[in-house]
Amino acid sequence: LRLYKNAYEPALLERYLRDMADYLKDNGVSYLDLDGDPRIRPEDFSDSIHIFPSGVERYTQTLADALKAILP
């Protein structure tokens, strides 16, 4: 679910996200990438950033599950 798939510079954005994930990992910072989680669907968003009210509960639960996995 790359919500930004229509980004102006998709290759540059992909590189940025990969570099950011590597940097955070190298510095001991947890990074959550919910991309690819089937519970988060493109139709839940009005654009590449803004979620419709109907998708908020599903997104929040997905985020909570991911946080539970990494927090003590």
Side-chain angles (χ1 to χ4, degrees):
L1 167 78
R2 287 284 182 202
L3 294 174
Y4 53 81
K5 66 182 175 187
N6 294 324
Y8 183 69
E9 294 285 346
L12 191 59
L13 183 55
E14 286 287 340
R15 185 172 132 210
Y16 167 78
L17 292 172
R18 185 178 55 250
D19 290 349
M20 179 60 70
D22 290 344
Y23 174 82
L24 294 172
K25 182 179 178 185
D26 291 346
N27 287 280
V29 178
S30 296
Y31 173 71
L32 293 176
D33 183 359
L34 299 177
D35 185 51
D37 191 303
R39 295 173 291 178
I40 299 178
R41 306 174 314 200
E43 58 266 23
D44 291 334
F45 292 81
S46 61
D47 57 25
S48 63
I49 299 170
H50 301 96
I51 193 167
F52 285 122
S54 60
V56 169
E57 186 174 337
R58 181 176 23 264
Y59 184 87
T60 302
Q61 187 60 58
T62 303
L63 178 59
D65 292 346
L67 287 171
K68 280 188 232 178
I70 64 169
L71 294 176

